[in-house]
Amino acid sequence: MKEWKEERCAVRPDELQLIAQDTYIQRRDIREVSHEETDGVPAYTEFVCESREIGISEYEMLKSIENISTQEAIDNYTLQLIEEGVM
């Protein structure tokens, strides 16, 4: 997994894009930025975001961690302690 870096795109990028057999580009904070005409450069719109390369296995691990409910884990552990007679 690499560090987040700023990326600029002419069209809205996908949040997750497969770029190799085992590598994604992950993007966050995608926002549209409009620029006014200046010094003969016509007005234009671009999309700015943070992106990084991440392996598929790393991405799946991060997603599984996000899906863990802290309260549910605490409740399950407390129930286990009660069932074992510790509490």
Side-chain angles (χ1 to χ4, degrees):
M1 179 174 4
K2 296 185 178 180
E3 295 295 318
W4 292 100
K5 63 180 181 177
E6 184 175 82
E7 179 181 4
R8 296 174 177 273
C9 303
V11 296
R12 183 173 188 83
D14 294 330
E15 289 182 13
L16 194 64
Q17 178 183 359
L18 187 64
I19 60 169
Q21 183 176 351
D22 62 346
T23 307
Y24 286 126
I25 290 183
Q26 182 182 25
R27 296 180 178 95
R28 67 180 182 189
D29 301 329
I30 301 170
R31 60 195 182 282
E32 186 175 335
V33 178
S34 297
H35 299 276
E36 295 180 8
E37 181 179 349
T38 56
D39 298 326
V41 177
Y44 65 99
T45 300
E46 66 179 344
F47 293 88
V48 180
C49 62
E50 292 182 311
S51 66
R52 67 177 174 187
E53 290 183 17
I54 184 170
I56 290 176
S57 60
E58 293 170 311
Y59 176 77
E60 289 172 352
M61 180 185 65
L62 290 174
K63 279 299 180 189
S64 68
I65 290 171
E66 287 177 7
N67 292 332
I68 293 173
S69 165
T70 304
Q71 188 58 50
E72 182 181 351
I74 292 169
D75 291 345
N76 290 339
Y77 182 63
T78 302
L79 181 60
Q80 179 185 352
L81 293 175
I82 291 170
E83 289 173 347
E84 293 174 358
V86 177
M87 287 181 66

